[in-house]
Amino acid sequence: MTRDEIPTPALLLDMDRFERNLERMAKHVRAAGKQLRPHAKTHRCPEIARRQIAAGALGVACAKLGEAEVMTRFGIHGLLITTEVVTPSAIRRLTRLVAEAPDTMVVVDNAENVDALARAAVEDRVTLNVMIDVDVGNRRTGVQPGEAALALARAVVHRGALRLRGLQGYAGHCAHVTGWEQRREASRAAMAPLMQTRARFEAEGLPVEIVAGGSTGTHDIDVELAGLTELQSGSYCVMDLDYRRIGGRADDALTEFEMALTVATTVVSVPTADRAMVDGGLKAFSTDKPFPPEAVECPGVTYGFAGDEHGRLTITDPARAPRLGDRIEFFPPHCDPTFNLYDRVWCVRGPRVEQVWDVAARGRSD
Amino acid sequence: MTRDEIPTPALLLDMDRFERNLERMAKHVRAAGKQLRPHAKTHRCPEIARRQIAAGALGVACAKLGEAEVMTRFGIHGLLITTEVVTPSAIRRLTRLVAEAPDTMVVVDNAENVDALARAAVEDRVTLNVMIDVDVGNRRTGVQPGEAALALARAVVHRGALRLRGLQGYAGHCAHVTGWEQRREASRAAMAPLMQTRARFEAEGLPVEIVAGGSTGTHDIDVELAGLTELQSGSYCVMDLDYRRIGGRADDALTEFEMALTVATTVVSVPTADRAMVDGGLKAFSTDKPFPPEAVECPGVTYGFAGDEHGRLTITDPARAPRLGDRIEFFPPHCDPTFNLYDRVWCVRGPRVEQVWDVAARGRSD
């Protein structure tokens, strides 16, 4: 099958670019003396996780228990679940998962939850690997750094069925700060309390084997922190417009990693001279960013959302007006929610479809 | 199973409200002397389509061929595919579908496409039911009303393998005009050229058995058009915040149809006194509208997106602060792309889960 025969809209992965992205990140963390546990929420695709691990990653981070269940089913190990698991039925699913994949870790930010996890672990005869989730200014989940984190860690180590592994601090609010120097300043300020908390853990003899954090935006910033042991960057493997525009260390765009993910569409209507309609709309692309998809190597057109199933191309150069049936690929604004719209990703190398991979954890936000 | 045991985030359908919505629309079109072929792109759920047809609908409209393939597999007939089918491989899929479901209709807006459809129909020995897609100002797909539509219709009727059934004009730009009178004015202006085109079809003896159009926003407006034969309203069956806010004939909100669709979430973190985090974010809700999901019967909190898997509740009334593990349901901003995130919808009546329906055409934008 060729690239041009894929039914559209479809999610395409450029294998050359993808493989170079994996190599570059592997080389980067190796050179920095760090480890990598990339976020699988980006792709939800076990085959991509497998290749990340083959390239040297410790495992993958999963945003949700449901994602982790799928990864385990596909034989992916070294999982860190980065959202708290709190309801009795979810905790039961977690202990079942850990019985199968004992190296799985889960984050906590609440003493009541620590208690519930410890009781379930005893009942179900498993040991739960636990990380303290610290709020480093992202104002999402996480206990406050310093004393609150220490108190929670003490609660964990007092429970025999729980094994404290360390700290997680995700500075999501720094990931997309534009300009490398500004981003570095923001991330250093955010991560400093996490490093101080780490020092207090060590002083008190609390286990802190792992300190995890970092995004694609801060992949070459957070490695400067001596106390950080592993990066959780996810988007680097495929990239998206949102990350490209934040700028790199030496460039106005973040170019260390290549734009490997596209959505292929077909021109289904050319109703007027200044307009062409493609078959990709709100259900084909992420819509959470304030900018639209960008046509790949297709000058003379700009994309605008035009409903669930349509994109409106405004033709700015009539000489390059698309024709009925033409195929046009777009870079998505945001890779994670775009992957989550598709059941499969078509792996292409030039004009050839090499493989088709299941986005097996798509929709598994539970 | 009870409502509170459903793993979250999850899509819930309130059966009482849903059933009343179907009844109300059925009664409305009957009273107006019109027919209904509701848009299944709203829900992509064959069981909902089946119930719409049981309530009197002629069939369902499908935005895409892929959706129609799924509906046919589940025994749903009376399909109208409302996006042009243009590539050779897609046209081949269409003729296969029509061999199975001969009453399927497809829209056209281009003479070259008419030619391709006619040739494929002859080769594959089927008759294709065709509607002329007319642009009534939505600036999406569709031939211009008047002479251009007539010329295209003549091209269709000259091909023995094609059977012209009539006209479609979707005034999507009128669907969400706020205020009933303003919306009526906008829709009348948009639909007038379609009605004039209909008259010219009749004068020329061109078949115009069906004239289809209308949205949930114009369901009680477009029925005033003598020349319109059927409504395509889709969202009425479940509603969403976007339609509720446009206002009804006698009300500031559109209340003829009830808010039957919610996303259930769980509070997974209560890190500070002014904030609680739920487990539904960019992957749990549509994100294409400029306003957030709204908590159902949960005063004292407002929702903000906080990444792929989290929503941040700002607690405006500390006395009502959510607790860890609490379940909170939200009305989604836009029903169609929200349905498209979920593999199943949990049908609830009060606290009880009655059924679970597959959103079998989810992701089938191809």
Side-chain angles (χ1 to χ4, degrees), chain A residues 50-131:
Chain A
R50 196 187 316 280
R51 282 160 191 254
Q52 289 176 314
I53 292 167
L58 295 169
V60 291
C62 292
K64 291 297 188 70
L65 176 59
E67 247 173 51
E69 288 172 335
V70 174
M71 290 295 162
T72 298
R73 204 171 71 226
F74 281 80
I76 307 299
H77 292 289
L79 307 181
L80 165 58
I81 302 169
T82 62
T83 297
E84 287 70 12
V85 176
V86 303
T87 65
S89 60
I91 292 173
R92 190 91 326 149
R93 283 165 53 201
L94 176 66
T95 59
R96 270 205 301 273
L97 175 69
V98 167
E100 246 185 275
D103 66 351
T104 302
M105 298 180 277
V106 67
V107 299
V108 295
D109 74 352
N110 182 288
E112 189 185 315
N113 182 222
V114 166
D115 193 51
L117 289 176
R119 279 186 284 115
V122 169
E123 273 172 36
D124 295 345
R125 302 179 184 192
V126 294
T127 302
L128 287 181
N129 288 285
V130 166
M131 301 268 283

Side-chain angles (χ1 to χ4, degrees), chain A residues 5 7-9 40-44 63-64 67 82-87 89 93 109-110 112-113 135 138-144 266-272 274-275 277 279-280 282-284 286-289 306-310 312 314 324-325 327 334 336-337 340-343 362-366, chain B residues 5 7-9 40-44 63-64 67 82-87 89 93 109-110 112-113 135 138-144 266-272 274-275 277 279-280 282-284 286-289 306-310 312 314 324-325 327 334 336-337 340-343 362-366:
Chain A
E5 289 167 344
T8 63
K41 78 181 176 76
T42 294
H43 50 72
R44 296 191 146 177
K64 291 297 188 70
E67 247 173 51
T82 62
T83 297
E84 287 70 12
V85 176
V86 303
T87 65
S89 60
R93 283 165 53 201
D109 74 352
N110 182 288
E112 189 185 315
N113 182 222
D135 182 2
N138 196 32
R139 299 193 66 252
R140 208 155 73 178
T141 63
V143 70
Q144 290 306 298
T266 300
V267 175
V268 293
S269 178
V270 285
T272 57
D274 63 343
R275 171 165 46 108
M277 303 302 299
D279 62 349
L282 305 174
K283 291 179 181 172
S286 62
T287 58
D288 58 299
K289 301 293 174 187
D308 286 336
E309 304 290 4
H310 296 93
R312 181 182 291 115
T314 303
L324 197 68
R327 295 174 72 91
H334 187 182
D336 314 50
N340 193 50
L341 295 169
Y342 291 91
D343 291 311
R362 189 216 61 75
R364 292 301 305 273
S365 292
D366 59 308
Chain B
E5 289 167 345
T8 62
K41 79 180 176 77
T42 294
H43 51 73
R44 295 189 147 178
K64 290 296 188 71
E67 249 174 49
T82 63
T83 297
E84 286 71 12
V85 176
V86 303
T87 64
S89 59
R93 284 165 53 200
D109 74 352
N110 182 288
E112 190 185 313
N113 183 222
D135 182 1
N138 196 32
R139 298 194 67 252
R140 208 156 74 178
T141 63
V143 69
Q144 291 304 299
T266 300
V267 175
V268 293
S269 178
V270 285
T272 58
D274 63 342
R275 171 165 46 109
M277 303 302 299
D279 62 350
L282 305 175
K283 291 178 181 171
S286 63
T287 58
D288 58 299
K289 301 293 173 188
D308 287 336
E309 304 291 3
H310 297 93
R312 182 182 291 115
T314 302
L324 198 68
R327 295 173 70 91
H334 187 182
D336 314 50
N340 192 49
L341 296 168
Y342 292 91
D343 291 312
R362 188 217 61 75
R364 292 303 305 273
S365 292
D366 59 307

Side-chain angles (χ1 to χ4, degrees), chain B residues 49-73:
Chain B
R50 197 187 316 280
R51 282 159 191 255
Q52 289 176 312
I53 292 167
L58 295 169
V60 291
C62 291
K64 290 296 188 71
L65 176 59
E67 249 174 49
E69 287 171 337
V70 174
M71 290 296 161
T72 298
R73 205 171 70 226

